Amino acid sequence: MGIVAGLDSAPDFTRIVVCDTDTGAVLRQGYAPHPVDGAGRSPDVDPQAWLLSLGEAAGGGLLEGVQAIGVSAQQNGLVPLDPQGGTVRPAMVGGDKRAQVAAADLIDALGGREAWAQAVGSVPGAAQPVTKLRWLNKTEPDAARRTSMLLQAHDWLVWQLLGRPVRRTTDRGGASATGYWSAATGAYRQDLVELALGHQAGLPDVLGPSEAAGTTPEGLLISAGTGETMAAAFGLGIGLGDAVVSLGASGSVMAVHPEALADSTGMITSLADATGMHLPVVTTLNAVRALRGTAELLGVPDLEGLSELAMKSTPGSHGLVLLPYLEGERTPNLPHTAGTLAGLRRESMKPEHLARAAFEGMLCGLADALDVLRGRGVDVRRIFLLGQAAELPAVQAVAPALFGAQVVVPQPADYAALGAARQAAWALGVAQGTLDPRTPPLWQGPVAQVLEPGEELAVGQAVRQQYVTVREQTHPGAYRA
């Protein structure tokens, strides 16, 4: 029996879990927030902040006896390096709205959305590293000229842990999020780097899922690492037939699929996962923010209170339908629209019906996202529901019937850190000759609540049809699964 560690460098903190190599049981944990300056959350971050919180999280002998470490980090973080390996400027992280114009420029420069979909499986958005390179080229040309190597956050952390060797590495999961690596071909598109940055740049070697990036001078094995999304999927243990619906302020749906999907509409981002499979993702702009907005409108203090109120209504909310496009919407592609409340009648104008319509509208919007994947042949039989709102009774009462599938609500955990630890165990097992490089270690699944649609399925599908009818009347032709 050995022990391994998984490190998740999230946007605001570092969390480390130390796990049993054979079972995945968590033995101990560490946590530290990233040190931030007075500006608070910014699209520019000094990568040294990640190392500082890593060191704090690992304090007190947390890593004693650990044989291997895996690293997960936000896959949209771009770290541009100069020829000496120094950072040209702070890392560019997050959605970075500064790059929205650059995204439109890039789409046009290559010949449109279809050209990008065929090249790398997705259409550039403001969050992707390729778009940030275009912004850098246009806005900070001197920094762009000095950039000679491109790393993502997890690549940079792995490189630091290994003592900054000559060779830099990444994995196919992280590479697939850059906008200049194709999950379908498994190859970089240096021409797209040049299109964005103005010149070619060095790119890290792409390791296989079970390969190690190297060994520290102390003998600690460092696995390939991966992006946060891919690590979370690996930590959950999802496979073919599984999807993950994540309820944040915005929402996302991802599923495991055996092949890469090219999508010219821009609704699907074609990512690779951490196992050798693919992880198509569809994003909505409005999930929990629609619930919070409704709670504020109704004077309800929190989401728990909104859920309690919604449970006093009935399926279909007495005919009320909320299209929750409060921030515009990405799925369907309606960036400049607003939300719609339809079906107002005297008997439906009660707080509990609006509360229920908010939950049904949010989940129907995510069901639309699921249908984008199903419409492309992705098998979805089981849905993992993540996020704080997944625990709300109104969500659990509505989701299985609306999604038309079994819903699994795992207990809250840092699944990205767990996925990084599982990757470390895989690389360690392969290095020791005890694991097959094609088969990851079988760890215990998450403790979870399982919900079945059961007899409510027909009712849920009727609610969904009510929503679809209003959506099509309000925005005809906007949504095509």
Side-chain angles (χ1 to χ4, degrees), residues 186-364:
Y188 282 117
R189 290 287 301 263
Q190 268 281 9
D191 59 317
L192 300 182
V193 174
E194 188 168 358
L195 180 69
L197 185 61
H199 61 87
Q200 294 196 359
L203 299 169
D205 294 344
V206 181
L207 300 177
S210 62
E211 288 186 78
T215 305
T216 68
E218 297 78 26
L220 193 63
L221 190 79
I222 309 294
S223 66
T226 195
E228 210 166 29
T229 298
M230 305 80 188
F234 196 40
L236 281 167
I238 67 170
L240 289 173
D242 291 334
V244 177
V245 173
S246 183
L247 301 176
S250 55
S252 68
V253 177
M254 62 182 177
V256 178
H257 196 56
E259 59 190 34
L261 298 177
D263 175 51
S264 61
T265 69
M267 286 195 287
I268 297 175
T269 300
S270 190
L271 301 177
D273 79 348
T275 72
M277 302 287 277
H278 295 269
L279 200 64
V281 179
V282 179
T283 303
T284 70
L285 297 182
N286 301 277
V288 175
R289 64 165 40 100
L291 302 183
R292 294 200 185 283
T294 305
E296 289 171 12
L297 179 64
L298 294 174
V300 177
D302 51 34
L303 295 185
E304 288 74 16
L306 188 71
S307 172
E308 185 178 345
L309 187 61
M311 294 297 285
K312 296 177 181 177
S313 182
T314 53
S317 308
H318 271 244
L320 277 190
V321 174
L322 176 66
L323 303 183
Y325 306 155
L326 307 185
E327 298 281 333
E329 190 46 84
R330 180 174 173 181
T331 308
N333 186 26
L334 297 165
H336 306 300
T337 194
T340 301
L341 183 62
L344 282 170
R345 293 185 175 85
R346 178 66 188 88
E347 61 271 18
S348 65
M349 296 176 71
K350 294 182 179 179
E352 61 266 29
H353 302 324
L354 178 54
R356 177 128 189 160
F359 283 97
E360 290 178 345
M362 175 189 74
L363 293 169
C364 281

